Amino acid sequence: MTSALEVNKDLLLDFIDESLESLGAVDSLFVELENSPHDVSIVDSIFRPIHSMKGNAAYFGLMRVKELSHRMESILDLVRQGKHRLDHRLSGLLLKGLDALRTILAKVRDEQKEVDDEDDFLPLLIELEEEIENEAVGATPVPSISSLDLYLQAQALLAVLPQDMQAEVKGMFARLRPEEYAPSQATTSEQGPLAMLRSALESEDPRRFDLERETVVFERMVLLSQAVSDPASRAIVREMIDIACSFAGSDVGLDSLAREMLLDTLGKMDPQAVSDPVPEQEPSVPSTTSEPPTAVATGIPAAPSRSKKEGGSRTMRISEESMDHFLERVGELMGLEEIFRYLGKRMMDSGLSDEFATDLRQATEQFAHLSSNLSKEVMELRRTEARPLLQKVPRLARDVAEKVGKKIEIRTSGEDVRIDKSYLELLDAPLMHMVRNACDHGIDLPKERLAAGKPEAGIVEVSVIELEDSLVMRVCDDGRGLNMDGLRRKAVELGIVKPEAVFGEAEAVAVLFHSGISTASEVTEISGRGVGMDVVKREIEGAGGHIEVKTTQGHGSVFQIVLPRSITTRISDGFLFRCGTERFVLPMRTVVETFPATLAKVSQVAGGGKMICFRNEILRMVDTSDLLETRALEPSDGVFVRVRVKDESCVFQVEEALGVQRTVVKPVEEFCRGGGIFAGAAMLGDGGLAMVLSEEGLAHWLRGS
């Protein structure tokens, strides 16, 4: 048997990635099935990726994956046939199997053995096997023969008949074959065996095919196997025969799910790889002892769906590091664009050659247009759906609710929002921690909710929202709110606050993110160790984001993570200004207007702050010397820049407004760590650097100053 480490490494990694991705959706489907136990379409959506994984695992020598998925598939098949009821206990057992599959695949990715200790793995297999055997007790066995076996026997009989009888028997086979089935949906590029097989499979009737029609399906698969010669196409045909045999040999037969899986697999085949016309001679069935194909189709659905998706596009594996390097090169092109603009402006100012300067400006504009489009397309390559992130939430909430005796309804939104791929890993642990906290600490017990006039089941909403230049992940619950008394008591114990100090919502939120803070009365496997929110905060701030918390006693809490849209190079328009010898950039969307300082009246207010009066409006004046550590200006010097940050208007006093410039923002850890006021640095056309101010950092600074 092939070892998982001896096969093509890229193919193996593809199989693991696609398997883990497809399993990601299955958790939430089990939770959905528990609420709708008679919905066969959900069972089909769970069955499909498990079956595909079983079929492909053997090629890579992953026999433990094959054994485990085979038993899970058998139980799901019994559920599909109505012979097993998927209750909470059985669902928990299958979910345990899913966790084991993930663990095995992760170990194989790290080039380890599938299972370290067989004694830990075998009990799960035995438990699953007992479920299968329990159904068989008292059942009357129904003798059956698969259509492929029947076809093989018929062909063997035909081979030993005298020559004068073979023609007559072949004619009988032809007369038994139905001439027409449901109208074919084959594409115009499909012809011959490919179109014939599609025609035989397509049917709007959800019932299983009869034996005669099953035989035709197998015959046409054999015809198709003879019409292809490349290894990839032959592997696809073998996969189809494996699917058809597993269904046809059971009580289910070729039902609607089997035909959908066969059509999906058929759709992977390149029509150009099928020879035409169809061979005249009677097809011979491929030997069951032939060598395994040199290539394998690993087309496991990215996310099980109950709606059939037609078509598809080819993909290729590119390392995230390579993509980041490419994005950096694109950023350098954007910086080169600003150098061209700067040179063009110098030429215009010097008057050396107006005609040449005009040509250079036009070329620069064209270069800017092309580099802008390139940057957008490259940034899009880094983005992926947030679905894998949110798919884990229902399973986690189910497990926590089961352990703490609560009823919790999970609502998710934003699965289709495309986020930077790096955020899938970055946000995974924070999201799991916040959802666990919401279910364990936030949502109240059913009797407490009923006493408070709430529905018995608590609601936890998780959403991903994409704004113009930021990504927001929000976890809301309608529970009891933060435990203010518990947080205060713990903060006093640790010496974080004094017993007589005022302790409101802001103080409670600040304490919440200290290490060692937990209001749980006892340590459990879910919570109580005081480890978590401080780590979450540190990771998010390390990526240039921050966490916001709002709570209302008796009504619930909202935890919100705000991050820049991209974790690496970011390209955006900014407003460039100068203070002293240093230049800075404000996010363009925060700038409202600019006006000379002489047009406004500056007034000193109690507490040391300053306000200005402009157009009968009183606006707060930001001390840029304090904010940016530059030299102080006289009230009438320079230019005022009016900005709006998080619904708060204020004015910056700067020495010179230099205008709008497209900037390539690169993180500078020394300045951007810990949620500071800077988002990064940008290279300017003259080769200098300008620090780019962060909208989120400014909002925090304004609230604290």
Side-chain angles (χ1 to χ4, degrees):
M1 180 59 63
T2 306
S3 166
L5 299 180
E6 292 173 356
V7 298
N8 184 290
K9 184 76 176 287
D10 288 338
L11 274 181
L12 176 61
L13 291 175
D14 281 340
F15 169 71
I16 293 174
D17 288 344
E18 291 167 359
S19 297
L20 290 173
E21 191 174 353
S22 65
L23 290 180
V26 175
D27 281 332
S28 58
L29 288 173
F30 270 114
V31 176
E32 190 178 343
L33 186 60
E34 288 180 351
N35 299 324
S36 306
H38 303 296
D39 192 337
V40 179
S41 64
I42 304 178
V43 183
D44 288 348
S45 297
I46 298 172
F47 183 93
R48 199 175 288 113
I50 300 296
H51 178 86
S52 297
M53 185 182 303
K54 182 203 75 172
N56 288 320
Y59 171 78
F60 294 103
L62 303 177
M63 302 315 295
R64 290 295 176 259
V65 173
K66 185 178 186 299
E67 292 170 358
L68 182 54
S69 55
H70 176 67
R71 284 165 174 77
M72 294 173 64
E73 176 196 54
S74 298
I75 294 176
L76 289 168
D77 198 29
L78 294 173
V79 174
R80 291 179 65 242
Q81 299 178 52
K83 297 179 179 180
H84 246 349
R85 181 178 178 274
L86 196 139
D87 54 16
H88 196 75
R89 179 195 60 80
L90 184 57
S91 178
L93 176 60
L94 291 171
L95 285 170
K96 191 191 301 183
L98 282 181
D99 292 339
L101 286 173
R102 290 194 187 95
T103 301
I104 293 173
L105 291 171
K107 290 173 72 66
V108 174
R109 177 196 286 279
D110 294 336
E111 300 187 2
Q112 300 177 30
K113 289 173 55 179
E114 290 180 84
V115 176
D116 291 328
D117 190 345
E118 294 289 343
D119 291 338
D120 291 338
F121 179 72
L122 287 177
L124 176 59
L125 289 182
I126 294 171
E127 197 172 355
L128 290 167
E129 190 65 37
E130 287 175 349
E131 287 294 332
I132 300 170
E133 292 175 354
N134 287 341
E135 188 279 330
V137 175
T140 303
V142 179
S144 63
I145 181 171
S146 75
S147 298
L148 182 57
D149 289 337
L150 183 65
Y151 188 81
L152 286 168
Q153 292 176 22
Q155 292 298 315
L157 176 63
L158 184 64
V160 299
L161 288 175
Q163 290 292 331
D164 57 343
M165 295 181 63
Q166 287 191 15
E168 184 178 351
V169 175
K170 288 181 181 179
M172 291 173 61
F173 282 169
R175 287 194 296 275
L176 288 172
R177 181 184 303 169
E179 294 297 329
E180 296 292 339
Y181 289 111
S184 174
Q185 301 297 318
T187 64
T188 55
S189 62
E190 291 181 357
Q191 54 187 338
L194 196 60
M196 289 170 61
L197 179 55
R198 184 181 292 279
S199 174
L201 288 169
E202 288 173 342
S203 172
E204 296 180 359
D205 190 344
R207 294 172 298 182
R208 61 173 289 174
F209 282 172
D210 56 25
L211 185 60
E212 182 180 62
R213 189 157 180 178
E214 282 187 12
T215 303
V216 173
V217 169
F218 278 110
E219 287 178 350
R220 295 190 177 181
M221 281 194 290
V222 172
L223 282 173
L224 182 59
S225 70
Q226 292 183 327
V228 296
S229 57
D230 63 293
S233 298
R234 295 185 67 85
I236 292 173
V237 177
R238 284 183 174 277
E239 183 181 355
M240 294 182 66
I241 291 176
D242 177 63
I243 293 171
C245 286
S246 64
F247 278 90
S250 69
D251 293 341
V252 175
L254 294 186
D255 64 354
S256 57
L257 174 62
R259 298 197 299 272
E260 181 183 342
M261 293 176 67
L262 288 169
L263 286 167
D264 285 344
T265 307
L266 187 65
K268 304 173 191 174
M269 185 170 292
D270 182 3
Q272 303 301 320
V274 182
S275 62
D276 191 65
V278 185
E280 293 293 333
Q281 68 272 19
E282 191 70 21
S284 61
V285 180
S287 170
T288 56
T289 60
S290 59
E291 289 299 313
T294 57
V296 65
T298 58
I300 300 172
S305 170
R306 278 169 254 162
S307 62
K308 181 181 174 184
K309 294 184 180 179
E310 296 292 340
S313 58
R314 291 187 173 185
T315 59
M316 62 186 299
R317 293 178 60 88
I318 301 177
S319 71
E320 190 173 335
E321 184 180 11
S322 297
M323 187 61 66
D324 287 343
H325 287 325
F326 186 32
L327 188 56
E328 287 179 11
R329 301 293 87 77
V330 173
E332 291 171 4
L333 283 178
M334 305 293 284
L336 188 61
E337 171 194 331
E338 292 304 322
I339 293 176
F340 287 158
R341 291 186 188 279
Y342 174 75
L343 293 175
K345 185 175 183 301
R346 285 188 61 186
M347 290 184 65
M348 293 288 287
D349 293 342
S350 64
L352 292 177
S353 173
D354 291 345
E355 181 180 355
F356 183 74
T358 301
D359 291 342
L360 178 60
R361 187 180 70 251
Q362 292 175 349
T364 301
E365 294 300 327
Q366 182 67 19
F367 179 85
H369 176 72
L370 293 174
S371 59
S372 176
N373 289 339
L374 178 61
S375 67
K376 291 176 182 177
E377 292 177 9
V378 174
M379 293 289 283
E380 190 61 29
L381 289 176
R382 278 193 57 88
R383 287 150 63 84
T384 186
E385 287 185 348
R387 191 178 309 277
L389 198 62
L390 298 178
Q391 283 172 340
K392 303 177 182 180
V393 173
R395 162 78 185 280
L396 175 62
R398 170 198 179 275
D399 292 346
V400 174
E402 184 178 22
K403 287 181 174 68
V404 298
K406 297 178 181 179
K407 294 184 178 180
I408 300 175
E409 177 185 344
I410 285 289
R411 299 175 183 174
T412 60
S413 61
E415 289 90 344
D416 296 331
V417 172
R418 294 181 63 80
I419 65 176
D420 191 294
K421 194 173 186 299
S422 301
Y423 286 155
L424 288 181
E425 183 176 350
L426 174 71
L427 291 173
D428 184 67
L431 175 61
M432 296 300 103
H433 193 87
M434 291 192 298
V435 170
R436 192 180 292 110
N437 275 354
C439 295
D440 189 27
H441 297 302
I443 298 296
D444 16 26
L445 291 167
K447 61 181 181 180
E448 295 174 354
R449 293 181 63 84
L450 291 174
K454 298 179 182 180
E456 189 177 20
I459 298 175
V460 175
E461 298 183 28
V462 182
S463 56
V464 175
I465 305 163
E466 184 181 37
L467 303 179
E468 185 179 355
D469 200 37
S470 61
L471 179 75
V472 177
M473 187 175 71
R474 188 178 296 150
V475 177
C476 313
D477 68 76
D478 68 343
R480 57 172 72 97
L482 291 180
N483 185 348
M484 303 292 284
D485 292 337
L487 286 171
R488 180 191 181 97
R489 185 170 56 254
K490 196 70 176 179
V492 171
E493 287 178 11
L494 296 175
I496 299 172
V497 300
K498 295 181 179 179
E500 67 276 8
V502 175
F503 196 83
E505 180 180 333
E507 290 75 19
V509 170
V511 168
L512 188 65
F513 292 104
H514 273 79
S515 178
I517 292 293
S518 175
T519 59
S521 56
E522 61 181 23
V523 175
T524 68
E525 60 181 295
I526 300 174
S527 60
R529 294 175 176 82
V531 178
M533 291 308 295
D534 59 320
V535 177
V536 169
K537 183 173 185 287
R538 189 160 58 248
E539 289 179 351
I540 296 303
E541 289 183 347
H546 68 277
I547 303 180
E548 300 172 355
V549 181
K550 295 180 181 179
T551 186
T552 305
Q553 293 300 294
H555 295 280
S557 304
V558 178
F559 284 75
Q560 183 168 282
I561 293 177
V562 182
L563 289 160
R565 284 184 64 189
S566 173
I567 201 170
T568 53
T569 304
R570 303 193 297 277
I571 301 168
S572 60
D573 290 332
F575 182 82
L576 186 65
F577 65 90
R578 179 178 62 82
C579 284
T581 58
E582 302 295 329
R583 288 169 291 183
F584 302 90
V585 178
L586 275 168
M588 193 60 211
R589 67 174 178 278
T590 65
V591 178
V592 179
E593 62 178 336
T594 62
F595 51 91
T598 54
L599 297 182
K601 183 178 179 181
V602 180
S603 301
Q604 191 78 31
V605 296
K610 294 180 181 180
M611 308 290 287
I612 72 164
C613 180
F614 181 66
R615 295 177 184 163
N616 296 322
E617 255 189 293
I618 305 298
L619 298 170
R620 176 183 176 183
M621 178 177 166
V622 174
D623 187 350
T624 49
S625 63
D626 181 32
L627 173 68
L628 304 175
E629 298 181 0
T630 57
R631 73 180 183 87
L633 299 175
E634 294 297 324
S636 59
D637 288 348
V639 176
F640 281 144
V641 181
R642 181 175 179 176
V643 300
R644 187 173 185 83
V645 181
K646 299 293 182 183
D647 298 325
E648 181 177 352
S649 291
C650 60
V651 293
F652 283 44
Q653 186 182 17
V654 304
E655 283 195 50
E656 184 181 7
L658 301 175
V660 179
Q661 177 171 318
R662 175 165 295 168
T663 57
V664 180
V665 185
K666 294 191 176 183
V668 181
E669 290 190 6
E670 289 75 9
F671 295 96
C672 307
R673 187 184 293 114
I677 63 168
F678 296 117
M683 186 175 73
L684 304 179
D686 60 1
L689 291 176
M691 295 303 297
V692 181
L693 283 85
S694 161
E695 184 177 356
E696 305 298 338
L698 281 176
H700 277 282
W701 188 87
L702 291 172
R703 284 196 294 267
S705 61

